[in-house]
Amino acid sequence: RLPNDSQALTFGAGDDFQITHDGSHTYLNNGTGNLYINANTNDGDLVLQCDDGSGGTTAYITLDGSAKLTQIDEAMKFTDSTQLQIGSSADTLFYHDGSNTYLDNTGANNFIIQQSGDDQDLVFRCDDGSGGVASYITLDGSIAKTVFDKDTKHNDGIEAQFGNSADIKIYHNGGGNSNFEN
């Protein structure tokens, strides 16, 4: 006979693994070592399903054995200051601290943002100052140009340099003088 509500079905010499149902909720409790859930069918999947909000069930997380990937089928929420860590040594961090959002390359290598679609653009957008959003900088892949859609500001003493050896420099020194060097 199986246990009644709030009585555990136990496994192991020390009752290390227990399955309990309290009349409302079901619990899997592992008291020793790791808990493994295996899908041993060749190219099989392990699917975590839950209520879909309208009376049915849907897959939320699928461990796809044939494609060797984890597929997320519903929104995933990371609470404030919880990091999405990428890389074996957590080389890239993506998180929101409750005030600001960070995409942080903590590794010793370059941080590369890349758009690989043929003739597609990489667009940097931001608030337009009046409640909307506007494009500020576009890396236009179809014409191979950087397009500025808003004015740029260079603070005093900061040079705009042109040419491989900074052959042309334009800057303002802060003392009322603007300089153009060639």
Side-chain angles (χ1 to χ4, degrees), residues 48-114:
L48 184 60
Q49 294 182 320
C50 193
D51 177 61
D52 65 1
S54 60
T57 58
T58 190
Y60 279 68
I61 299 174
T62 301
L63 306 180
D64 188 324
S66 60
K68 295 178 66 174
L69 61 82
T70 301
Q71 179 174 316
I72 307 299
D73 293 300
E74 297 294 329
M76 183 175 285
K77 181 178 183 178
F78 290 79
T79 56
D80 288 343
S81 299
T82 301
Q83 300 173 347
L84 172 60
Q85 298 182 358
I86 302 170
S88 297
S89 299
D91 302 307
T92 303
L93 308 175
F94 187 42
Y95 62 97
H96 182 78
D97 68 4
S99 299
N100 299 299
T101 301
Y102 299 88
L103 181 54
D104 186 1
N105 179 31
T106 62
N109 295 318
N110 295 326
F111 191 125
I112 299 169
I113 299 173
Q114 181 171 313

Side-chain angles (χ1 to χ4, degrees), residues 160-180:
Q161 298 181 355
F162 301 89
N164 289 345
S165 300
D167 303 316
I168 297 175
K169 299 176 184 177
I170 302 171
Y171 63 95
H172 180 72
N173 67 7
N177 296 320
S178 296
N179 299 290
F180 176 83

Side-chain angles (χ1 to χ4, degrees), residues 14-36:
D15 295 336
D16 300 324
F17 181 68
Q18 301 177 0
I19 301 173
T20 308
H21 182 75
D22 66 8
S24 298
H25 306 286
T26 302
Y27 303 90
L28 300 176
N29 298 302
N30 183 41
T32 304
N34 298 324
L35 175 63
Y36 291 88

Side-chain angles (χ1 to χ4, degrees), residues 12 21 32 36 40 47 55 91-92 121 141 143 149-150 158-160:
H21 182 75
T32 304
Y36 291 88
N40 291 318
V47 182
D91 302 307
T92 303
D121 302 338
I143 61 172
D149 297 303
K150 299 290 182 185
I158 303 300
E159 301 174 347

